[in-house]
Amino acid sequence: MASERHFSPVDRLLLQADAALRTLLPFSGQPTRPSPAIVQPESELDEQQAQHIAGLMRINHTGEVCAQALYQGQALTAKLPQVRQAMEHAADEEIDHLAWCEQRIRQLGSQPSILNPLFYGLSFGVGAAAGLISDRVSLGFVAATEDQVVKHLDDHLQQLPEEDQKSRAILEQMRADEEQHACNALEAGGLRFPAPVKFGMSLLAKVMTSTTYRV
Ligand SMILES: [Fe+2]
Ligand SMILES: [Fe+2]
């Protein structure tokens, strides 16, 4: 009879736990789009190159773990239902990125960061807090984060060896998607964050990138 779904706090908690496990357990993210790497030829990479690229892809993978957590945290505390839906939709799209990065890391003979649960927890808290302040802050946070991700992706695209077409194809598609996410968040009413806030966010990102490159 009821056409609208109402979730109790316990339901919501279980849904959150499910989302966290789907993000953190190996091979559990189901992409809706095939990886752009599939149609690219495999390249001959020496061990040092493969290790470096795996480090870069590990950073990007953890970035996607953070994106999942951020969106889940925001969706939990978003006030307007349409904002909540937009967050959940964006989180679905990031699952593609998450799965593509993981596939590439494994192809390169490496594994995702062991620090992922820690970064998931931190990002979830930040997302939930932003959502509690206001939907505009929450959406602004998405826009600022995506801007930063695009900068990282540009840097990584420059660092990739010319011959690694597979990783390049993944990062280029991600870059296009993240740019769109930033645009959508601002169009939905997201605040444009001032430079000092963005600077603080970039310092936090530095901690993440320098640790997950290695482990
Ligand atoms: Fe992403
Ligand atoms: Fe994104």
Side-chain angles (χ1 to χ4, degrees), residues 153-203:
L153 289 171
D154 281 339
D155 176 46
H156 289 183
L157 279 163
Q158 280 206 327
Q159 290 190 49
L160 281 183
E162 197 66 41
E163 56 267 44
D164 185 1
Q165 294 300 320
K166 281 190 179 292
S167 303
R168 183 169 300 279
I170 294 171
L171 297 192
E172 279 175 352
Q173 185 58 54
M174 280 170 59
R175 190 189 186 285
D177 292 345
E178 313 301 15
E179 233 172 11
Q180 191 58 52
H181 293 162
C183 255
N184 293 350
L186 288 179
E187 270 173 24
L191 266 181
R192 284 177 196 274
F193 281 10
V197 177
K198 285 193 170 181
F199 180 70
M201 287 170 66
S202 70
L203 289 183

Side-chain angles (χ1 to χ4, degrees), residues 64 67 71 90 93-94 97 142 146 149 174 177-179 181-182:
E64 297 300 330
Y71 283 125
E93 291 188 349
E94 309 287 10
H97 302 168
V142 170
E146 298 286 16
V149 173
M174 280 170 59
D177 292 345
E178 313 301 15
E179 233 172 11
H181 293 162

Side-chain angles (χ1 to χ4, degrees), residues 11-114:
D11 290 338
R12 289 216 159 266
L13 196 71
L14 288 175
L15 286 170
Q16 292 297 340
D18 178 61
L21 288 176
R22 273 188 289 125
T23 305
L24 294 171
L25 290 177
F27 306 109
S28 53
Q30 288 301 321
T32 52
R33 295 171 291 175
S35 170
I38 287 175
V39 292
Q40 300 297 332
E42 190 54 89
S43 44
E44 289 284 327
L45 300 165
D46 64 39
E47 211 184 307
Q48 212 180 357
Q49 280 178 318
Q51 214 176 5
H52 177 55
I53 301 165
L56 297 181
M57 296 308 279
R58 189 158 41 241
I59 292 173
N60 293 316
H61 181 264
T62 301
E64 297 300 330
V65 167
C66 292
Q68 280 301 315
L70 195 64
Y71 283 125
Q72 297 296 340
Q74 288 172 323
L76 186 72
T77 52
K79 288 162 190 75
L80 294 170
Q82 59 266 39
V83 171
R84 181 177 295 162
Q85 268 168 17
M87 299 293 178
E88 281 165 358
H89 178 70
D92 283 347
E93 291 188 349
E94 309 287 10
I95 287 179
D96 288 350
H97 302 168
L98 188 79
W100 300 345
C101 287
E102 182 179 358
Q103 284 165 5
R104 188 64 187 141
I105 293 170
R106 306 253 181 222
Q107 281 170 357
L108 292 163
S110 194
Q111 59 282 317
S113 174
I114 55 169

